[in-house]
Every structure is written in C-alpha cells, then in structure tokens.
C-alpha cells in the first residue's frame, strides 16, 4: 500500500473512531439513560421478592400519591426501605436517587436524612425516625422512552420524580427538616437554609407598598396544598412579581431555583426556563415574623405561586421552636406527576 | 456517592425537648371553597392534634366504644356544619353535607387522623358583584383554621379579593360574575378593550378609579386648594376680588384639565411598566403638592400659572394612581383597558366633585365671605399637608390623618352646607368691588 492510501485509511479510521465515540458517548450521557441504567443496576442486585416489592404498575395512582411528611410508622410507604437492603443494594439504591438529582439536590436529601437520624438519637432512639426508614419505589418500569416514576422518601421527604423520555418532572415533592439546624462533624448544616435566607432577603428588598401586598394579615398554621391535596389550584395571593423590579424578580426566581435545582441539571434548566417565562404571573406571599435570628431559619410561612408552580414553606410549632422544624412543598398544578406530559 | 452516616456522630443537637413528629395541641381545620354560579362547594379536613385528640374523640364517639358509628359520624358532621356560617350578599345560605369520612380512633389518637367533610350550599341568583362570607367557629379555642378558594372552574367567575381575620375564622370572598350585565359593560362598541381588562373587569376598575378619588382625600384636597383662588384677581402679592364668571370658569377648567393630563400621562407610563418609582417618595411629594397649593390659596405664589403647576403635580399624583392599579396584579395585556377604565373612573369622580363645588365657589367668590372661606380652606389644607408630610417622611403617625378622614367622610354634607351658605351670602351681598380686598390675613 502506498503512503497516500495508508494516510487515507488512517484518516477514515480516526474519523470512524471519533464518530462512534460521539455516538456512544452521547448516548450514555443523557440524563434519562443514566437514571435508567442506575435503576436497572439496582434492580439486578435484588432478589425476585424484593424486585416485586419495589415495582408498582404505572397506573397505580394509590402508590403514586402514597407520600407524606409524617414518619413511615404513621403513614406506611410502599416499596423497599433502606433497612431491608444490604450495603451493596443500598449503595445501588442511593445511586438511582443521585442520578435523578443534581449534586446539590442529592446533598439536600442526605442532609434531611441525616437530620432524621439525629432526631432519632435525640429522642431516645425513637423507632419512628432514622436513616433506615426511607423507601425507594418505581411506579412503572424504568425506561428511556416510556414514562415511569422514581419515588424516594420517608419522614420529611417525598421525592416523586416522573421520567418521560428526556423530561424529568420533580413535582410534587415535599422536603422538610427537623432539626432545621444541626452540627455534624464540626460542620453546621441547614437542609433548608437557603430556602429560608433567600426568601427573607427578597422580603427585605421590597419597598413598603410592596411589602404591604406581600405580607398577609392572617396566620397560616400549615401547608395548604400538602400531602393528599393533589390537583388543586388555589386563588393566588400576595404580591405579584409584575409589580417587582428586575432585581426583585431575579431574587424570586432564585428562591424558586432552590426547589427546581434539586432535579438533575438538564431537566432543572428546562424547568427554570419555564418558570422564568411566567415570572410576571408569579405571586409571593408571606405570613408571620419578618425577621429571623441570624444563622437560623425563618419562623414565617411563605408561598410562591405561578401558572406552573406552587411552593409553600411552612414552619411547624412542634418541638417548640418553629425555626427548627419546617415542612415545604413544591408543586406544578399543571404537571404534578407529569400528568401534563403523559396526557399527550 | 457514599452517605456520611457511617462516620461517628460528633453531634450538637439543637433541638427542643419534644421530638414528636405530628400536630400537638391544635385542631387543624382546613377548608377549601369552590365557587360556581349557582352554588358553592366546600371541602373540609379536620385533624386533631395528639394533645387535644381525646377531647375531640370524646365529642364524636359519644358512647365511648372506640368506634365512630355512622350515627355518631353524622351527628358530629351536623354539629360542625351548624357552627359554620355561610352568607352570600348578606343572606345566609345553609350548607348541606354531601360526604363524610372518618379515620380510625387510633389514627386520631396519634394525631394523624383526618376527618373529611364535603358540603354544598346554594347561591341564589345575584348581581355581577358578589360577596361570600364563610365563618368557622367549631372548637375555636383550640382551632388552627385555614380557608382558601380554588381558582374558579367557571371562567365567568373572577375573584376580586379575599379577606380574613387573623385566625382565619372569618373569610370573605369578593368575586365577580360576568354575563350578569352591569351598565358599564353594555357598550358593545368597546368589546376588545373591555375584554382586555381581563381578570378584573372594566366596571370594577372604573369604580376603583372613582373610589380612589372619592376616598383619596389627598388628591381631592390638592385640587380643591388649587381651585379656591381660581375665581379671583391678583393684586400685587394678594388675592383680590372676583374676576368675573368667565375668567373663573375658564380658570377652573384649565386647572382640572391640566391635572388630568398630568396624572393620565404618568399613570399610563407607570402602569405600563416604563417607569417604576418607589411609593414612599411619591406619597411625600403628594403631601408637598398639597402644601404648595394651600400656601397658594393664602397668598398667590404662582399667579396665572396654576394650570402648569396642576399639570406638574398631576404627574406625581398619577404615579400614586399607578401603584393602586399595580396592586391588582394585572398582566401586561390586561393593562391597556384597565388604565382607561381606571382613569375614566378618576375623571368621572373628579368631575362630580368639581361640579358639586364650582357653583358654590362661583357664587361665594363675589361676596365678602369668600376671603374667610379661602383662608380657612387654605389653612386646613396646609395643616393636613404638614401632618401627612411628617407622617410619610418620618413615619410618625399623628391625628391629622384621622381628623381629615373624619371630615372627608362627611364631604357630601359639607358640600351641601357650603352651597346653602354660598346662596345665602350671594343673596345678602352688597354690590361693589372695594369691599372684597378685605383679607383676614392682613
């Protein structure tokens, strides 16, 4: 073979290599395929009985709505608890959750779970709490094309991630914390600290007449659209972002991003684009004290409501200090459980 | 990623003594109302906390057998419903229970049991603007109430306002029903503009504009203080006598028109989002504008340039009107019609007020009584303005606002008395110009 053909053949081979690398690499790098492959890996570590325990049919609406802020001893969840898994199964289960979330979102989940372990320790080893009592389940078969749902939750946590092709839908998701502030290995942790601080910063940025609209004149003891309240759209209240300036609107979007960005990055970016587009139709309402002890969470309730989002942050009196105990809800009235997507 | 649990805890737990995970000493009662044209549906969730659950259970399970029988359940539902009140446009409507669901007694003891009631109440036919009042007084001492309404399914129903007392035992829903014609909605040659007011409705924004002027004492006081010397001649640095009906009417029209042009301009700009001004400096400037026109009523500050001054301060008042409109939270495309409706409301009310006062001013300004009226009016406006400036600038509340509001509430009577007085003065007047220079300030 003469040098010309040698070089041509070499170039063709190199090109083919690059192309195949892109094809294969592009394929394995989609967010959905990563979750699906993690889910299949997890399923492969289970025995037949466990596999049956973790899988639910896609049309099982009862399991779909089987989540709560309450401990699992009070509201039993479906699926497999981490307690029932050995260490490699457990690692595989957590890898599925990690694949569905952003690193920051996954860290938040860990902090909530760690907090519950502390609650257990501080309440005399109370068997209703602890890191073992978190459940994983699949509603529908993990698939890159057909819709299915990953659930992971327990006390103060309910992740409901619907995956439909390249779309990942995090709503409805509940997060919460008790204690909302703790120290572990010398590190101070506030699982929902940013949610609290950013909202308070927004409230402080408002002028007097905006605050008058944003601050509701009545008490709100709890979430209005918590567990079991699917499919309801209440009349929005408070201050509409159309009456905010650009900086305040950006701050509002930043509060929302604390929930939207729990999801894996590419789906979170799409979601943030959607929420940014209807920011002017988004409302901000506040009820309760307008100050907080520095370094602690707020003791006030707030709600953010737009055409495609409802966020509620509701401090709880239980435990004595509302800054230490919070329940929060993240919904999309048009697309909870991906219903808006799956209808098509 | 590996969880960090395995690491030994070096823990400082910042936690209160109690570590229960459920509602404790409250009886959560959450109601969601859903309004339709001819009825309202209510969905109630009742969740007794652990500490109060035995008391609540005791009032349901009356034979204390640990089971809530159908009879006991129904009796309790009837009791709850009897402690609700539902009033539509001032008339009570009786809620009927349509479904009842109880948790087990054990769940309630744990503080996780949810009682569910659904009720429905008829709404007799009414006008386009309706007011629904819902009150819940069941177990008020231990209750934590929540009341909300769903965004109405019927696109012809639009929520205008929701009001609650602090513990939410009282809830008022103001809403609008379209299709029920109101006079302002019947101009069929404006359909697009009317529709563009969207969620709130042309009629209600028009009325909001009227109310804003009628109740916005500061705007009126500015205008009236500026009109006080309008019928008069200027003699040096003092106000002189009556300048003639033609001059007076023209002068009043010029001031009112200039004020209107000024506030319309900034209202449109601000409502459209092109200018954004924080409300506090605006409120202060408005108070200053009243002070300026009050001083002008005592001594001519800018004789012959009243219209320009009215136009300039109109720009500032318009920004305040925009803030009111902004509170409605309208979308961009709803605004065009809203600005028009709101401004028409303002102009209409302004014309009514000017129309009611102008005859008195014209009649009286040719009499000896006028200087006293002008000076006392100017002083009143001046004191009110000073009070507002202090209040709005320094945040020091004072009685001025309350005094002015009390007087303003009787504005119709004051206007009527003024008119009678002006007729009496006019009938008793002596012809001649020389007497009019008597100025109480001299």
């Amino acid at each position: 073979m003469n040098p010309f053909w040698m070089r041509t053949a070499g170039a063709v081979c190199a090109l083919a290599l690059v192309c195949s690398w892109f094809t294969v690499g592009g394929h394995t790098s989609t967010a959905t395929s990563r979750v699906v492959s993690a889910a299949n890996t997890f399923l492969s570590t289970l025995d037949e009985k466990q596999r049956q325990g973790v899988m639910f049919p896609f049309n099982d609406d009862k399991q779909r709505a089987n989540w709560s802020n309450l401990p699992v001893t009070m509201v039993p969840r479906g699926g497999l608890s981490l307690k029932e898994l050995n260490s490699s199964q457990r690692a595989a289960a957590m890898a599925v959750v990690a694949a569905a979330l952003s690193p920051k979102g996954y860290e938040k989940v860990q902090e909530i779970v760690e907090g519950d372990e502390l609650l257990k320790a501080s309440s005399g080893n109370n068997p209703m709490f602890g890191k073992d009592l978190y459940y994983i389940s699949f509603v529908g078969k993990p698939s890159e094309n057909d819709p299915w749902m990953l659930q992971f939750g327990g006390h103060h946590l309910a992740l409901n991630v619907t995956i439909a092709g390249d779309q990942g839908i995090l709503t409805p998701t509940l997060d919460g914390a008790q204690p909302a502030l703790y120290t572990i290995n010398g590190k101070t942790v506030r699982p929902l600290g940013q949610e609290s601080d950013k909202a308070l910063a927004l409230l402080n940025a408002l002028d007097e007449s905006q605050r008058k609209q944003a601050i509701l004149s009545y008490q709100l003891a709890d979430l209005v659209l918590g567990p079991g309240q699917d499919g309801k759209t209440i009349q929005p209240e408070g201050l509409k972002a159309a009456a905010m300036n650009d900086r305040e609107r950006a701050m509002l979007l930043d509060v929302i991003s604390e929930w939207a960005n729990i999801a894996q990055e590419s789906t979170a970016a799409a979601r943030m684009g959607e929420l940014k587009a209807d920011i002017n139709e988004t409302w901000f309402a506040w009820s309760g004290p307008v100050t907080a002890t520095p370094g602690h969470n707020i003791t006030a309730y707030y709600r953010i409501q737009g055409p495609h989002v409802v966020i509620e942050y509701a401090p709880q009196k239980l435990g004595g200090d509302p800054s230490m105990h919070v329940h929060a809800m993240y919904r999309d009235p048009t697309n909870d459980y991906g219903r808006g997507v799956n209808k098509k | 990623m590996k969880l960090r649990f395995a690491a030994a805890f070096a823990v400082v737990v910042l936690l209160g003594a109690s570590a229960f995970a459920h509602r404790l000493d409250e009886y959560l009662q959450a109601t969601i109302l859903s309004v339709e044209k001819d009825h309202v549906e209510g969905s109630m969730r009742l969740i007794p906390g652990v500490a109060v659950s035995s008391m609540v259970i005791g009032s349901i399970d009356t034979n204390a057998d640990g089971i809530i029988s159908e009879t006991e359940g129904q009796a309790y539902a009837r009791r709850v419903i009897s402690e609700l009140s539902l009033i539509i446009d001032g008339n009570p409507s009786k809620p009927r229970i349509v479904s009842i669901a109880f948790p087990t007694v054990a769940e309630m003891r744990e503080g996780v049991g949810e009682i569910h009631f659904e009720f429905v109440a008829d709404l007799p036919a009414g006008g386009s603007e309706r007011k629904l009042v819902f009150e819940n007084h069941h177990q008020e001492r231990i209750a934590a109430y929540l009341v909300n309404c769903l965004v109405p399914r019927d696109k012809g129903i639009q929520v205008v306002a929701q009001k609650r007392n602090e513990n939410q035992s009282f809830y008022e829903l103001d809403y609008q029903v379209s299709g029920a014609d109101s006079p302002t909605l019947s101009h069929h040659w404006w359909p697009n503009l009317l529709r563009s007011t969207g969620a709130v409705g042309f009629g209600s924004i028009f009325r909001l504009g009227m109310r804003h002027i009628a109740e916005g004492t500061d705007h009126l006081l500015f205008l009236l203080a500026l009109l006080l010397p309008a019928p008069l001649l200027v003699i040096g640095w003092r106000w002189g006598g009556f300048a003639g009906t033609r001059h007076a009417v023209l002068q009043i029209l010029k001031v009112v028109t200039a004020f209107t042009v000024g506030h319309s301009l900034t209202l449109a700009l601000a409502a459209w989002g092109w200018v954004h001004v924080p409300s506090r400096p605006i409120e202060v400037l408005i108070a200053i504008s009243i002070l300026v026109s009050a001083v002008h009523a005592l001594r001519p500050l800018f004789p012959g340039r009243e219209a320009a001054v009215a136009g300039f301060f109109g720009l500032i008042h318009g920004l305040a009107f925009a803030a009111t409109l902004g509170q409605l939270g309208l979308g961009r495309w709803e605004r065009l019609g809203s600005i028009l409706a709101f401004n028409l409301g303002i102009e209409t009310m302004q014309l009514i007020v000017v129309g009611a006062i102008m005859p008195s001013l014209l009649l009286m300004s040719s009499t000896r009584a006028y200087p006293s009226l002008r000076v006392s009016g100017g002083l009143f406006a001046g004191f009110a303005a000073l009070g507002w400036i202090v209040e709005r600038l320094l945040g020091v509340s004072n009685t001025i606002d309350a005094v002015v509001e009390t007087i303003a509430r009787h504005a119709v009577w004051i206007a009527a008395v003024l008119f009678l007085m002006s007729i009496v003065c006019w009938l008793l007047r002596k012809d001649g110009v020389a007497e009019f220079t008597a100025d109480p300030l001299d």
Side-chain angles (χ1 to χ4, degrees), chain B residues 174-354:
Chain B
D174 298 345
Y175 64 98
Q176 217 173 35
V177 182
S178 61
D181 273 337
S182 75
T184 43
L185 281 165
S186 58
H187 298 281
H188 57 272
W189 37 280
W190 275 359
N192 290 324
L193 212 47
L194 294 176
R195 220 171 286 142
S196 70
T197 58
V200 185
F202 190 90
S204 68
I205 294 184
F206 177 82
R207 279 186 288 276
L208 184 72
M210 283 183 70
R211 229 180 25 232
H212 191 73
I213 277 288
E215 291 168 8
T217 321
D218 46 357
H219 305 304
L220 275 184
L221 209 52
F222 168 74
L223 196 60
L224 291 178
L226 210 52
L227 292 182
L228 269 178
L232 304 180
L233 285 170
V234 180
I235 302 171
W237 280 102
R238 280 193 271 155
W239 289 113
F242 186 51
T245 312
R246 199 183 122 83
H247 170 90
V249 171
L250 266 180
Q251 201 51 26
I252 289 171
L253 285 180
K254 274 201 296 199
V255 166
V256 173
T257 310
F259 184 61
T260 303
V261 169
H263 70 231
S264 301
L265 193 69
T266 43
L267 170 62
L269 288 179
W272 201 251
W274 284 335
V275 287
H276 177 83
V277 190
S279 69
R280 191 141 161 193
I282 293 302
E283 294 297 322
V284 174
L285 280 173
I286 284 174
I288 290 173
S289 75
I290 300 165
L291 186 64
V292 169
S293 66
V295 172
H296 183 64
L298 300 177
R299 280 277 186 270
L301 284 181
F302 38 82
R305 289 195 297 276
E306 284 89 350
V309 171
F312 172 74
F313 282 121
L315 293 172
I316 290 160
H317 286 247
L319 292 173
F321 298 159
T324 304
L325 205 52
Q327 284 167 8
L328 295 180
L330 298 165
R332 192 165 259 273
W333 293 109
E334 297 157 3
R335 282 192 203 145
L336 186 62
S338 308
I339 294 168
L340 188 81
F342 189 70
N343 215 359
L344 281 176
I346 287 178
E347 298 339 327
T348 307
M349 199 61 205
Q350 197 174 284
L351 277 180
I352 291 173
V353 170
V354 171

Side-chain angles (χ1 to χ4, degrees), chain A residues 74 222 237 240 317-318 324, chain B residues 14 22-23 26 164 329:
Chain A
M74 294 179 159
D222 213 332
E237 289 181 276
K240 205 174 181 184
K317 281 205 284 192
L318 201 69
M324 291 299 282
Chain B
L14 303 164
H22 36 81
R23 194 154 292 286
E26 290 168 336
R164 299 165 178 85

Side-chain angles (χ1 to χ4, degrees), chain A residues 69-71 73-74 82 90 94 106-107 110-111 113-114 117-119 122-123 126 128-129 131 155 178-179 181-187 207-210 213 217-225 227 229 232-237 240 242-245 281 283 303 305 316-319 324-325, chain B residues 1-26 28 32 43 45 107 110-112 114 116 144-152 159-160 162-168 173 276-280 323 326-332 334-335:
Chain A
N69 53 284
L70 291 164
T73 50
M74 294 179 159
L82 297 182
R90 201 165 167 141
M94 294 316 290
Y106 186 62
E107 193 185 349
Q110 288 176 295
E111 289 174 353
V113 173
E114 277 167 12
E117 186 68 17
L118 293 186
L119 188 62
S122 70
S123 59
N126 193 324
M128 5 187 222
F129 309 125
K131 60 181 181 176
H155 188 209
Q178 185 190 15
L181 166 67
Y182 60 83
T183 306
I184 184 165
N185 298 331
K187 190 180 154 216
D207 72 28
E208 210 173 321
S209 76
Q210 289 175 316
Q213 293 172 58
S217 62
Y218 56 90
Q219 302 162 350
L220 267 144
D222 213 332
L223 298 170
V224 175
L225 297 174
Q229 302 303 299
K232 292 176 181 168
T233 306
I234 57 169
Q235 188 69 27
E237 289 181 276
K240 205 174 181 184
M244 294 181 182
N245 63 30
E281 305 296 310
W283 300 69
R303 185 192 306 148
Q305 183 174 351
Q316 306 290 308
K317 281 205 284 192
L318 201 69
M324 291 299 282
H325 186 176
Chain B
M1 218 184 294
K2 192 167 167 280
L3 290 177
R4 282 175 279 163
F5 302 136
F9 288 134
V11 178
V12 180
V13 184
L14 303 164
L15 185 67
S18 165
F20 294 103
H22 36 81
R23 194 154 292 286
L24 200 59
D25 57 356
E26 290 168 336
L28 185 74
I32 294 187
S43 159
R45 286 185 301 136
E107 285 169 324
E110 276 201 77
V112 297
E114 292 194 13
H116 289 255
Y145 300 117
L146 294 175
V147 189
N148 283 276
C149 81
L150 296 182
V151 171
V159 173
V160 176
Q162 301 179 82
K163 295 165 199 158
R164 299 165 178 85
N165 64 349
E166 211 203 340
N167 75 353
Q168 299 201 55
L173 176 70
H276 177 83
V277 190
S279 69
R280 191 141 161 193
Q327 284 167 8
L328 295 180
L330 298 165
R332 192 165 259 273
E334 297 157 3
R335 282 192 203 145

